[in-house]
Amino acid sequence: MTRRLVIAVDGPAAAGKGTLAKRLAAALDLPYLDTGLLYRATGRRMIDAGLDPAHAPAETFAATVGLEDLRRTDLRVPEVDRAASLVAAQPAVRRALVDLQRRFAGVHGAVLDGRDIGTVIFPDATVKLFITASPRTRAERRWEQLATNPDAPDREAQIIRVEQEIVARDAADSSRSVAPLCVARDAIRIETDSLTADEVLAEALRIVADMTR
Ligand code: CDP
């Protein structure tokens, strides 16, 4: 019997986890789950209800989040970046979202990207990747994804603001008491500063092939 393949892709904000995980899943014919969207959807629901994610409990909102939320188009905006990180620090929110993530990999396996996939959700994942890049590289990539005007005269100032935001979010994600962002003991790090998306995918596929031989 072949073993169910679960691939954990963790790392800091805007490191390119999503790009890699999506392409890896397609190449290996596995389902793909962006777990950040579950925390984003929880934060979004709180904002929509007029509540402050920094202070109000978010558990009841997390409990109603489902796979249909992943189709929402209003989750990748700066106010939701912050709200997601705030609700993700609440232990009850994390507990409410564990089963959904584990069931997703079900019998077929999956590629999942997030912060705690290799440490908490699937500590026995077949392959654990930790994707990183410098804050500057990550800020440039995120800015390019979101920028409405690539020739904006204040491009540099905008990138600096994005960098400050992702550094602050990484600090919050790394210092929280539950499921902090950290490298699993048995994870393989891929530093992506000087790699293209194709090169990161090739490296990840090589690691997966090595570990599943
Ligand atoms: O795309 P980006 O790297 O900016 O963020 P994301 O993966 O969508 O995650 C948004 C926020 O959700 C993070 O800053 C974390 O606080 C939280 N998160 C988490 O705590 N655990 C996960 N498995 C995934 C995301």
Side-chain angles (χ1 to χ4, degrees):
M1 200 183 81
T2 52
R3 196 178 154 212
R4 182 184 66 144
L5 193 57
V6 175
I7 302 181
V9 180
D10 289 306
K17 304 178 299 290
T19 304
L20 170 65
K22 205 178 299 164
R23 298 182 74 192
L24 203 49
L28 299 170
D29 200 19
L30 288 170
Y32 161 58
L33 181 62
D34 175 349
T35 66
L37 289 180
L38 305 175
Y39 298 92
R40 287 176 180 275
T42 305
R44 177 82 258 174
R45 283 176 183 226
M46 289 198 82
I47 294 170
D48 293 347
L51 294 169
D52 179 355
H55 299 296
E59 182 187 358
T60 50
F61 294 93
T64 57
V65 164
L67 295 181
E68 65 285 358
D69 284 270
L70 307 185
R71 285 196 297 269
R72 289 186 70 151
T73 54
D74 54 359
L75 301 181
R76 293 208 166 274
V77 292
E79 63 171 342
V80 176
D81 291 349
R82 182 175 163 275
S85 188
L86 287 167
V87 300
Q90 297 185 17
V93 166
R94 304 203 75 87
R95 276 197 300 276
L97 293 170
V98 167
D99 279 355
L100 174 62
Q101 296 173 76
R102 293 199 176 137
R103 270 188 279 110
F104 184 86
V107 285
H108 302 298
V111 180
L112 302 96
D113 82 70
R115 302 291 185 288
D116 63 340
I117 307 304
T119 50
V120 174
I121 305 297
F122 287 105
D124 60 349
T126 328
V127 180
K128 300 181 186 179
L129 302 172
F130 194 89
I131 309 303
T132 61
S134 68
R136 172 72 198 193
T137 303
R138 292 188 277 128
E140 284 175 4
R141 289 178 185 160
R142 181 54 48 97
W143 183 82
E144 272 155 27
Q145 266 176 351
L146 299 177
T148 43
N149 173 14
D151 302 317
D154 60 341
R155 175 182 184 276
E156 182 57 26
Q158 289 184 21
I159 292 175
I160 289 171
R161 269 200 302 279
V162 174
E163 182 173 340
Q164 287 165 345
E165 187 278 324
I166 60 180
V167 167
R169 191 147 57 91
D170 287 350
D173 289 347
S174 306
S175 62
R176 68 188 175 210
S177 57
V178 279
L181 166 67
C182 63
V183 189
R185 197 183 27 79
D186 47 352
I188 298 173
R189 290 175 75 111
I190 306 180
E191 306 277 348
T192 68
D193 282 279
S194 58
L195 300 179
T196 63
D198 283 350
E199 288 168 336
V200 178
L201 175 65
E203 174 68 358
L205 284 170
R206 194 188 56 72
I207 293 167
V208 173
D210 251 19
M211 296 189 69
T212 53
R213 252 205 308 250

